[in-house]
Amino acid sequence: MSARSTDDSGIVIIGLGRFGCHLAGSLTQLGHEVLAVDRSPDRVQRWSAQLDRVVQADATEEAALRQLGVADFGRVVVAIGASVEASVLSVLALAELGVPQIWARATSEKHAKILASVGAHHVVFPEAETGERVAHLIISRMLDFIEFGDDFAIAKVPVPPSLVGRQLSELVPTERYGVMVVGAKLPGERFRYAGPETVLMPESVLIVEGTIDQVQRFATLS
């Protein structure tokens, strides 16, 4: 069976446990194409009615992933939690395929180190992070994201390249970008409150606040 991504929004979720399903649902609600993969026929059948594309396959086998067209997706999340061996082998298979962004769930610090050593680019701990939060991190350049009630969020974001060298006073945040820059970390310095005179330098990191959509859009500026 072949399942190929048609645009950059496609994301593969491997493992349909509680975290994997929660993450797949959050990404779908955010408008992203999701291909969900699990080796259990019962889980595949259970979630096929709720997710658009669910397939049964052994994600530890590089050949199976290749047949599914997983290498054509830019982002893959290994959400397996029940088996450390299966999660590590799946990350290794994805690394062999050359997947650009491999996210992996870890159940311990030791597990996280192993995942990173075999090719995971990002490691998350679902016990401390919600599916919604991880979903926002996966689909943007955000380094951190905290969602509050009433559609409000604060995020840590690398400075968009188009804003490098400009002062915050030039940006008119509430009108042009919709977010408020409340803090900045310039290269070699600590985080500090951002003022109108703050100049955005290359490799700076910003703390921004606004609605979830505003923060998301700002984090995708090039």
Side-chain angles (χ1 to χ4, degrees):
M1 179 180 180
S2 178
R4 294 187 178 272
S5 173
T6 56
D7 62 69
D8 291 339
S9 70
I11 300 168
V12 180
I13 305 295
I14 295 174
L16 288 176
R18 184 171 60 180
F19 175 69
C21 290
H22 196 175
L23 179 58
S26 296
L27 289 168
T28 299
Q29 289 179 358
L30 289 168
H32 290 262
E33 174 194 6
V34 173
L35 169 62
V37 181
D38 198 287
R39 65 167 57 179
S40 166
D42 292 337
R43 282 184 173 175
V44 169
Q45 183 176 8
R46 184 187 318 153
W47 292 104
S48 60
Q50 300 182 42
L51 299 173
D52 289 337
R53 307 170 66 194
V54 186
V55 296
Q56 180 187 354
D58 184 352
T60 66
E61 297 290 339
E62 182 181 339
L65 296 176
R66 190 183 300 277
Q67 186 178 9
L68 288 173
V70 170
D72 298 328
F73 288 77
R75 291 161 291 191
V76 180
V77 183
V78 178
I80 299 170
S83 170
V84 171
E85 180 183 7
S87 73
V88 171
L89 291 177
S90 295
V91 169
L92 184 59
L94 293 167
E96 291 294 325
L97 288 176
V99 174
Q101 285 193 48
I102 303 172
W103 294 69
R105 169 188 182 174
T107 55
S108 68
E109 290 292 343
K110 183 177 181 180
H111 186 193
K113 289 180 180 179
I114 296 172
L115 291 170
S117 70
V118 298
H121 304 107
H122 309 275
V123 177
V124 296
F125 292 85
E127 288 72 19
E129 306 185 66
T130 66
E132 292 93 343
R133 178 173 180 273
V134 174
H136 281 285
L137 294 176
I138 289 172
I139 64 175
S140 75
R141 297 169 62 244
M142 288 188 286
L143 304 173
D144 205 351
F145 175 86
I146 302 174
E147 180 179 343
F148 299 89
D150 301 323
D151 191 34
F152 181 81
I154 294 177
K156 183 165 68 173
V157 185
V159 61
S162 60
L163 303 185
V164 169
R166 302 180 63 183
Q167 282 190 336
L168 286 182
S169 58
E170 302 177 45
L171 305 185
V172 195
T174 56
E175 295 180 12
R176 187 168 181 183
Y177 299 103
V179 299
M180 181 68 70
V181 179
V182 296
K185 183 182 186 302
L186 305 182
E189 300 182 12
R190 294 183 175 185
F191 268 107
R192 64 187 184 188
Y193 287 110
E197 74 290 347
T198 300
V199 177
L200 303 179
M201 304 297 293
E203 300 182 9
S204 298
V205 176
L206 307 178
I207 302 297
V208 301
E209 63 179 26
T211 68
I212 294 173
D213 285 344
Q214 289 170 342
V215 169
Q216 192 75 61
R217 284 197 301 271
F218 186 83
T220 58
L221 287 176
S222 59

